[in-house]
Amino acid sequence: MMHLTLEFGGGLELLCESVKSHNVDVVLESVGEKEGKLVMRDLLCWVKTNLIKERPEMFLKGETVRPGVLVLINDCDWELCGTLDAVLEEKDEIAFISTLHGG
Amino acid sequence: MASSCGGSGGGGGGCGSQCSSLRDSPSVVGEEGNEILEVVENASVSNGHRSILRCSKCGEETAVYNKLCLDCFRSFLYNKFKVSVTSNAMISPVDCVLVAFSGGPASRVALQFTHEMQLKSQKNWDASKDQQQPLPVFGVGVAFIDERAFYSANNSEIDEAIEEIRLTVSTLFPPAKQLYVEPIEKLFSLDLIEGKARLRKLLDTIDDPTGKDDFLHYLRAISLQKVASENGFNKIILGSCTNGIACHIISSTVKGQGYSLPADVQYIDGRWDVPVVLPLRDFVARDLIMFCHLDRLRTCQIFHQSECGINYLVSSFLTRLQEENPARVRTIVRTAEKLSPFGFNKYKEYISDDMVPSRLRSKVQNLRASESAPLETLCPICGTPLCDSDLVNLKNRKCQVECDVFVSYCCASCRYQIVPKEEDSFNNFYSLLPQLFTRRVKNGLHVDHNQLREQVEEFLLSDDDEECGDTA
């Protein structure tokens, strides 16, 4: 069981019933743990099943996030942490931000 | 470390796909190969869980985005902003600039960095006023155009968002900045209820959804002009970034506004009473959004673009293009840059040489010395310079009724998608149109009346002919 804080911004929160911040407990067995670790690939699957209530295609494309969605793990671009293979730890904060609106 | 994609060092947006391909190909040799090795060496040994990459610039802090730590990313963006402002002489020490703030990430960054420039200027003033003649500090105000009368929107959400904006502006001191919340219906009447009614009636006369959308854009621009003029500001800063400008380029092309397109994509737009500057023109939305998140700059999207019409279609199209290649919006803007700008897109301010940064003085002096460009005739609704066929239409007009004269000054695009064709609708439209639009014709917008009269002399009715009719 891993406690994580997930944040949705830039309009993505509309897919999660307009809730921006979610404190979640992810049960490792339910996401096919590999060597006892939770990776982003598994978390995305979990999010799609448990948090995304509408229009999943705005969030996911295949097994990764839709292009234009920024992903941050503890305020660090996930591209610098291994993207889908980034290993998650207890109390990590993961943010998903859509860049659709430039403002 | 030099950027492997040849773009701005280490951080600029729009190099995503190329950079990641270099990271993924360790067999790349030569300079690029050295860069890859450098990245691996800089990465500190993993702590057994997640590997950490060090900032490619300072080498000390953890890299958070585009291989830069937050401080270096912030410096990169701020310096880019400063270069944009200074090399285009956007803000002079005697200016009072009004920052247009929508609540979104781009205008939030424009506001933040304008404030930081002002703060530095204030510190210089404080530090040097006893010693030498210091440069004065430019003034900054903030404007939010409240467009709720245009939409059927949730009032309490908008009010909350405005309170947040107030709070944000109040944190940006010293120096303290005045926030102007201007309801868009104020263009129509000081009485907001009457103003809203007039606005909605006017919108009802415009059938075309794209025309309505564009008209809102022009109302917003005129509102900003009004706030600036009424409150002593002599420059307006818009947060328009590469993504928005790319959308505008494609939309304008689609709408047949190709002639006037260069006017809207430059750093400086001097055709208005209060010139408008675009310091974020070369910033991509991705970088701005990421920076706002990392630096905890609160943003909100208060008003959402209408989902019908050409503008939304183009916006969705560009989103798709970006998915394939994030560099696309920059390519679009760079392509449009090749079009020749208009005379009013150049720096033309007449201030004393002392106020101009020394490296720009010769540039300014050359501009003043060179022949001034011929004045353009501008459409009174959208401000677009009229192309040759529009000018022919204008010259050939035979009417003298005020409302018809107005239409003859309008560009083809506004005549097609905004000005109603049916007579009753048109009369309603013209009678409801705010004076700020209609007087632009009466004031002979950038047109020499005597010259125009000579040109159209043969078409004018002489005094002893029957008059066309009285003015509206």
Side-chain angles (χ1 to χ4, degrees):
Chain A
M1 180 95 119
M2 188 176 288
H3 182 85
L4 302 167
T5 306
L6 307 181
E7 202 187 302
F8 294 84
L12 279 180
E13 64 273 24
L14 297 171
L15 308 180
C16 316
E17 296 171 324
S18 296
V19 177
K20 283 192 173 175
S21 188
H22 301 252
N23 285 308
V24 302
D25 291 305
V26 178
V27 177
L28 295 180
E29 291 89 9
S30 70
V31 293
E33 67 183 273
K34 298 174 180 68
E35 302 160 5
K37 289 194 189 127
L38 180 70
V39 294
M40 278 300 298
R41 184 181 286 105
D42 304 324
L43 180 67
L44 289 184
C45 211
W46 188 94
V47 167
K48 181 182 175 184
T49 310
N50 294 283
L51 293 182
I52 304 295
K53 302 299 181 194
E54 59 179 287
R55 294 180 291 157
E57 71 281 2
M58 298 294 284
F59 178 67
L60 277 185
K61 188 175 178 183
E63 67 167 3
T64 187
V65 290
R66 187 189 165 170
V69 174
L70 296 173
V71 183
L72 291 146
I73 304 172
N74 298 331
D75 281 347
C76 180
D77 188 359
W78 78 330
E79 283 187 19
L80 301 173
C81 311
T83 55
L84 289 169
D85 296 315
V87 177
L88 295 170
E89 293 161 22
E90 178 73 20
K91 294 195 191 150
D92 272 349
E93 294 174 4
I94 297 107
F96 301 100
I97 308 169
S98 169
T99 57
L100 282 185
H101 301 294
Chain B
M1 166 175 114
S3 166
S4 49
C5 63
S8 38
C15 64
S17 56
Q18 285 110 333
C19 276
S20 53
S21 71
L22 275 171
R23 268 207 296 279
D24 294 339
S25 358
S27 57
V28 173
V29 292
E31 269 188 38
E32 289 160 340
N34 291 341
E35 283 178 7
I36 297 297
L37 287 176
E38 210 178 307
V39 166
V40 169
E41 278 159 10
N42 282 344
S44 62
V45 174
S46 91
N47 56 8
H49 297 278
R50 200 158 47 227
S51 62
I52 298 170
L53 199 68
R54 292 284 173 216
C55 173
S56 62
K57 192 156 184 225
C58 66
E60 287 168 10
E61 299 298 321
T62 309
V64 294
Y65 178 67
N66 276 358
K67 294 187 240 165
L68 293 176
C69 68
L70 178 55
D71 285 338
C72 290
F73 180 45
R74 186 189 299 112
S75 299
F76 165 73
L77 289 181
Y78 176 75
N79 289 335
K80 189 171 164 179
F81 180 86
K82 224 175 85 167
V83 165
S84 183
V85 168
T86 52
S87 55
N88 293 288
M90 287 184 189
I91 304 176
S92 80
V94 294
D95 280 341
C96 271
V97 303
L98 184 68
V99 180
F101 184 44
S102 67
S107 55
R108 181 67 185 88
V109 173
L111 178 56
Q112 185 69 31
F113 286 169
T114 303
H115 160 67
E116 288 182 22
M117 280 189 68
Q118 188 195 32
L119 182 59
K120 286 196 164 78
S121 189
Q122 179 72 54
K123 286 183 177 163
N124 288 343
W125 166 270
D126 291 338
S128 67
K129 63 185 168 193
D130 296 326
Q131 292 150 28
Q132 61 202 41
Q133 187 76 10
L135 287 177
V137 181
F138 61 93
V140 176
V142 186
F144 173 79
I145 306 297
D146 188 344
E147 299 168 10
R148 76 182 87 185
F150 194 86
Y151 304 99
S152 39
N154 184 324
N155 274 349
S156 57
E157 273 178 24
I158 298 175
D159 288 332
E160 267 175 42
I162 292 178
E163 277 319 297
E164 267 211 38
I165 288 177
R166 244 180 246 289
L167 187 63
T168 297
V169 174
S170 69
T171 63
L172 295 171
F173 78 101
K177 292 152 186 56
Q178 178 85 355
L179 170 67
Y180 303 89
V181 177
E182 177 87 356
I184 206 162
E185 61 270 37
K186 239 173 134 184
L187 282 174
F188 293 80
S189 171
L190 289 175
D191 178 319
L192 296 183
I193 296 174
E194 190 197 325
K196 181 172 174 177
R198 290 175 71 93
L199 166 61
R200 297 223 64 94
K201 268 196 224 158
L202 178 67
L203 291 176
D204 286 342
T205 65
I206 304 173
D207 290 327
D208 190 292
T210 308
K212 265 203 241 277
D213 203 23
D214 284 353
F215 190 65
L216 170 64
H217 180 84
Y218 308 140
L219 285 178
R220 198 187 293 130
I222 291 283
S223 267
L224 285 170
Q225 290 288 313
K226 178 175 178 284
V227 173
S229 305
E230 287 175 355
N231 296 284
F233 293 96
N234 68 326
K235 288 268 175 65
I236 292 173
I237 290 182
L238 282 191
S240 307
C241 69
T242 302
N243 297 56
I245 293 174
C247 278
H248 179 77
I249 289 166
I250 306 282
S251 311
S252 294
T253 310
V254 162
K255 293 175 207 165
Q257 294 167 332
Y259 175 78
S260 58
L261 171 55
D264 306 320
V265 304
Q266 310 300 327
Y267 292 107
I268 297 176
D269 186 350
R271 67 192 128 153
W272 308 96
D273 289 336
V274 182
V276 174
V277 297
L278 275 53
L280 293 185
R281 195 194 77 160
D282 301 327
F283 287 66
V284 291
R286 190 175 193 267
D287 288 354
L288 298 170
I289 291 167
M290 183 61 98
F291 177 64
C292 285
H293 178 86
L294 292 173
D295 222 31
R296 307 292 182 247
L297 301 178
R298 291 187 69 110
T299 61
C300 45
Q301 195 77 26
I302 303 176
F303 301 108
H304 297 270
Q305 185 182 34
S306 149
E307 289 191 7
C308 49
I310 292 173
N311 302 327
Y312 182 76
L313 191 62
V314 167
S315 182
S316 317
F317 170 65
L318 275 179
T319 303
R320 289 264 185 108
L321 279 190
Q322 285 279 98
E323 287 180 11
E324 286 173 28
N325 184 349
R328 286 261 158 80
V329 284
R330 290 244 306 237
T331 307
I332 291 168
V333 174
R334 265 204 302 270
T335 308
E337 271 176 41
K338 301 197 195 308
L339 298 168
S340 304
F342 292 88
F344 50 71
N345 289 124
K346 297 191 180 81
Y347 174 81
K348 254 200 295 201
E349 200 146 330
Y350 297 105
I351 56 173
S352 79
D353 280 344
D354 300 337
M355 302 300 190
V356 179
S358 50
R359 69 180 176 282
L360 286 178
R361 263 179 223 159
S362 56
K363 183 176 172 180
V364 169
Q365 280 155 3
N366 286 342
L367 279 172
R368 288 182 190 167
S370 67
E371 267 183 56
S372 58
L375 291 174
E376 301 283 340
T377 307
L378 304 179
C379 169
I381 296 180
C382 66
T384 251
L386 298 189
C387 64
D388 288 345
S389 55
D390 289 337
L391 288 170
V392 165
N393 179 67
L394 176 61
K395 181 175 164 175
N396 290 339
R397 65 172 167 87
K398 293 182 166 63
C399 53
Q400 293 206 24
V401 177
E402 185 184 296
C403 53
D404 293 336
V405 169
F406 177 84
V407 174
S408 62
Y409 273 89
C410 291
C411 67
S413 177
C414 287
R415 276 186 274 118
Y416 176 77
Q417 64 174 15
I418 294 178
V419 178
K421 297 174 182 56
E422 194 268 323
E423 193 179 340
D424 284 343
S425 287
F426 171 69
N427 289 332
N428 267 341
F429 170 84
Y430 188 76
S431 66
L432 292 164
L433 205 54
Q435 270 210 348
L436 283 171
F437 288 97
T438 55
R439 76 171 188 205
R440 295 170 83 185
V441 171
K442 286 182 199 164
N443 290 349
L445 202 66
H446 291 282
V447 170
D448 177 45
H449 272 302
N450 290 333
Q451 214 180 43
L452 186 63
R453 196 180 175 87
E454 271 174 64
Q455 286 168 2
V456 302
E457 191 71 52
E458 55 184 306
F459 302 107
L460 293 178
L461 297 171
S462 64
D463 284 348
D464 45 12
D465 286 350
E466 211 178 317
E467 289 292 308
C468 256
D470 209 353
T471 54

